Amino acid sequence: MAGGAFVSEGGSGGRDYEGGVTVFVVITCMVAAMGGLLFGYDLGISGGVTSMDEFLSKFFPQLERQRENAKHDTAYCKFDDQKLQLFTSSLYLAALVASFVASVVTRKYGRKVSMFTGGLAFLTGALINAFAINVTMLIIGRLLLGVGLAAVPALLMVIGSFFLPDTPNSMLERGRYEEAKQMLKKVRGTENVDHEFEDIRDACEAAKKVEHPWKNIMQSKYRPALVFCSAIPFFQQITGINVIMFYAPVLFKTLGFGDDAALMSAVITGVVNVLATFVSLYSADRFGRRFLFLEGGIQMFICQILVGSFIGLKFGTTGTGTLTPATADWILVFICVYVAGFAWSWGPLGWLVPSEICPLEIRPAGQAINVSVNMFFTFLIGQFFLTMLCHMKFGLFYFFGGMVAIMTIFIYFLFPETRGVPVEEKGRVWKQHWFWKNYIPDDAVIAGHDEN
């Protein structure tokens, strides 16, 4: 589930509150950020170990014979093994199920309990993986990692959750008003929180009045939100980004890179991914969501075609051949450019856009659809990529390039710019669009203006 998220500053329209960033808030954010650290840590570790000879010979000995045959047969099928792919993908299947349970746990018991439970599950899974003696233990450990979604950061998250209280919002949701107000004072570092507390309480009360979000999202006026909350996470995964995130060392070894070169190339693409994500922090509100979607799509399409062509020229359909150092360098360069294109467009926007186009009455359903579609297709890509590479060969990169072209065309014709538009005004944006106007009734737009 490659990607990221950030907070947009455009069009919030809210009032300023007294207070600032306190030490308490910084520590709280650091503990909460352990969840993201765990996810990234797992991506790096799982991608690295699946290319290590010691790991493969111990847990997947059948691959030894398969890789030996590949020397005389086809390089594309060196790592085609369902159990090896299940080792990677099982985490995301568990995370798909856990995402539905987590919302219930958080709503009923608070975020503190949710963080502790997730951290404990991740810690347990990490320990099982560390002491695994067979594939079954590996898979069980990965499933628990998915529920928690590394032992050291997981332990820090578990310990930290003991000392961190619930958020004011979570306390208000469970009727603990005075505790919530005291916690808000601690968060803001000031006694003057009356206005903000009233706004938070009003928002919580409004959220409690929301009924049947799944029924609401099926209404015609919410059709754009339903489509984009489903299509954006689907396209985000079908770009092929997780081919790089999950299997970068395996992919590079398949192409003939040495062990050290494969791991180093994976590290390089990971660093590019992190650095390019910061570009979106600056550009999303400056250039707009639509521009980044389109620019990132074009960039990824070109790189996928070029990488597929380089591999096709060197390995053909037989999978026999070798890469010259110059060709290997060019492939790495284009993969890095591809990763950068994703990291400043579809990666963060895949989470930002679905969250900002869903009004309160459909937000729970919209977010659930976004997460579940993302996790489901992450699981599919993780489970079947190596098999697809074996059968489609270098054409697999053309396949992903074709999907990138389709999603870019989809955005060009169907996605209007939403930068700086408050969520209650989104109806006006859809109503002005040549296609979505057929689904948006006039009263949906009028209601949005009345609320303002």
Side-chain angles (χ1 to χ4, degrees):
M1 185 191 72
F6 52 79
V7 178
S8 171
E9 297 178 357
S12 61
R15 52 179 168 178
D16 295 329
Y17 300 113
E18 186 176 329
V21 179
T22 62
V23 175
F24 174 78
V25 172
V26 173
I27 295 175
T28 301
C29 291
M30 290 176 63
V31 174
M34 288 296 170
L37 175 61
L38 289 170
F39 192 81
Y41 177 84
D42 177 80
L43 278 178
I45 292 298
S46 62
V49 298
T50 50
S51 67
M52 293 181 178
D53 293 334
E54 296 85 352
F55 175 81
L56 295 174
S57 61
K58 179 177 180 178
F59 295 103
F60 304 94
Q62 70 277 9
L63 276 178
E64 288 294 317
R65 183 174 64 255
Q66 188 168 307
R67 291 166 66 196
E68 186 64 30
N69 293 336
K71 294 180 180 179
H72 311 287
D73 188 6
T74 173
Y76 294 119
C77 299
K78 280 182 181 179
F79 297 93
D80 179 21
D81 184 84
Q82 288 299 311
K83 286 185 179 180
L84 177 63
Q85 293 173 100
L86 185 61
F87 166 73
T88 298
S89 66
S90 55
L91 181 146
Y92 303 96
L93 185 61
L96 170 61
V97 177
S99 64
F100 293 101
V101 179
S103 62
V104 177
V105 172
T106 301
R107 192 182 308 113
K108 188 172 182 179
Y109 300 104
R111 290 156 178 78
K112 180 177 180 178
V113 173
S114 180
M115 283 182 62
F116 173 77
T117 304
L120 186 62
F122 210 111
L123 176 60
T124 304
L127 292 175
I128 291 176
N129 276 172
F131 295 102
I133 58 175
N134 54 46
V135 176
T136 302
M137 289 185 67
L138 281 178
I139 303 277
I140 292 174
R142 293 286 292 174
L143 290 171
L144 287 171
L145 291 176
V147 172
L149 213 72
V152 174
L155 182 61
L156 292 176
M157 184 174 174
V158 171
I159 295 174
S161 65
F162 269 115
F163 298 98
L164 293 182
D166 272 325
T167 63
N169 301 64
S170 180
M171 292 176 176
L172 282 172
E173 287 174 357
R174 288 172 288 147
R176 296 159 56 183
Y177 294 99
E178 189 57 37
E179 292 179 61
K181 190 169 185 179
Q182 294 303 317
M183 180 51 57
L184 184 59
K185 291 180 180 179
K186 189 174 182 180
V187 169
R188 287 298 188 183
T190 178
E191 293 291 318
N192 186 17
V193 297
D194 292 341
H195 290 305
E196 183 176 7
F197 182 73
E198 289 300 320
D199 287 347
I200 295 175
R201 187 168 65 177
D202 291 343
C204 287
E205 292 300 323
K208 289 180 180 179
K209 294 178 182 178
V210 174
E211 297 181 350
H212 314 299
W214 289 97
K215 181 179 180 180
N216 292 341
I217 203 170
M218 297 300 172
Q219 296 178 26
S220 175
K221 63 180 179 179
Y222 299 123
R223 191 61 46 80
L226 175 61
V227 170
F228 287 115
C229 282
S230 304
I232 287 178
F234 164 74
F235 282 130
Q236 186 191 51
Q237 296 309 310
I238 210 67
T239 58
I241 186 63
N242 282 328
V243 169
I244 307 301
M245 295 296 103
F246 294 168
Y247 295 116
V250 171
L251 177 61
F252 288 128
K253 284 192 71 172
T254 298
L255 298 178
F257 286 61
D259 290 349
D260 293 340
L263 288 175
M264 183 55 64
S265 299
V267 170
I268 292 172
T269 56
V271 171
V272 170
N273 182 39
V274 172
L275 295 179
T277 301
F278 286 100
V279 176
S280 65
L281 296 173
Y282 168 79
S283 57
D285 283 325
R286 184 175 180 85
F287 299 111
R289 285 78 165 128
R290 177 180 164 87
F291 172 82
L292 286 185
F293 270 137
L294 295 175
E295 189 282 330
I298 294 171
Q299 184 171 327
M300 287 188 287
F301 170 77
I302 293 173
C303 290
Q304 287 279 24
I305 299 302
L306 288 174
V307 169
S309 298
F310 270 114
I311 296 174
L313 289 173
K314 292 297 181 179
F315 291 93
T317 58
T318 62
T320 56
T322 57
L323 288 178
T324 63
T327 303
D329 289 341
W330 277 113
I331 289 177
L332 178 59
V333 167
F334 287 126
I335 287 179
C336 286
V337 174
Y338 161 81
V339 169
F342 177 88
W344 63 50
S345 61
W346 281 84
L349 294 181
W351 297 102
L352 173 66
V353 171
S355 68
E356 69 178 9
I357 64 174
C358 290
L360 187 63
E361 55 269 24
I362 64 167
R363 188 166 298 161
Q367 291 298 84
I369 292 172
N370 183 37
V371 173
S372 59
V373 171
N374 191 298
M375 290 295 176
F376 178 71
F377 284 98
T378 300
F379 162 74
L380 287 184
I381 294 296
Q383 182 62 42
F384 296 109
F385 164 68
L386 296 178
T387 301
M388 293 172 69
L389 178 63
C390 179
H391 289 84
M392 299 177 69
K393 303 175 174 58
F394 67 90
L396 178 60
F397 294 91
Y398 292 158
F399 167 77
F400 285 128
M403 295 306 300
V404 171
I406 291 172
M407 74 187 197
T408 304
I409 294 171
F410 171 83
I411 291 294
Y412 180 81
F413 285 106
L414 295 179
F415 185 74
E417 182 55 64
T418 60
R419 174 185 55 173
V421 182
V423 66
E424 64 271 12
E425 286 289 324
K426 289 295 192 295
R428 172 177 54 82
V429 176
W430 306 128
K431 189 64 177 178
Q432 293 174 348
H433 189 267
W434 69 273
F435 180 77
W436 299 119
K437 67 180 182 181
N438 300 314
Y439 296 91
I440 309 300
D442 293 336
D443 61 348
V445 180
I446 296 173
H449 286 290
D450 289 345
E451 288 175 5
N452 286 321

